[in-house]
Amino acid sequence: MADFRDEAIRQVNERYNQIARANLHRDHAHFIKRTLAAQIIEGGYVPAEFADEAALRNITPLDLANLINSKPNEAAQRELNRQRELLAIAAATTPADLPQG
């Protein structure tokens, strides 16, 4: 069973690593934007690049911050899904119980 479990874990991690590689730039940009948005909502400094994007969208920096803050964190959701799969693998008692995916 340990070999089946190890292989299932390897497959899950490889699948999520492929997704992460394909989304690296976007995930990083979203992380930066979410961090800046939280600061701006709290009344913090608005960097020029953030203000420029708000202007491109014809909205205020605060409106852009609120828009960003309202969107789901896709990277965090993917990690939650990965953890669910790993916990299902850990709970499996027979090879038939292992998640297929």
Side-chain angles (χ1 to χ4, degrees):
M1 182 62 191
D3 289 340
F4 290 112
R5 183 175 281 118
D6 289 346
E7 178 59 18
I9 290 169
R10 188 198 66 73
Q11 288 178 10
V12 166
N13 285 329
E14 180 56 30
R15 188 172 70 253
Y16 280 93
N17 286 342
Q18 288 175 359
I19 294 167
R21 282 190 297 274
N23 291 284
L24 185 60
H25 173 77
R26 190 176 63 139
D27 287 347
H28 183 68
H30 287 176
F31 172 79
I32 291 169
K33 284 182 176 184
R34 282 190 305 277
T35 301
L36 290 173
Q39 294 171 359
I40 292 165
I41 289 169
E42 293 296 318
Y45 172 75
V46 178
E49 295 83 4
F50 198 94
D52 290 346
E53 182 174 344
L56 283 173
R57 296 170 179 261
N58 203 28
I59 59 177
T60 68
L62 182 57
D63 287 341
L64 178 57
N66 284 318
L67 175 65
I68 290 166
N69 197 45
S70 73
K71 293 183 177 184
N73 183 336
E74 293 175 9
Q77 185 60 52
R78 281 196 308 271
E79 176 57 13
L80 177 60
N81 292 340
R82 188 181 77 87
Q83 290 299 321
R84 283 184 180 130
E85 290 186 44
L86 293 174
L87 289 170
I89 291 168
T93 58
T94 69
D97 295 334
L98 292 169
Q100 302 299 313

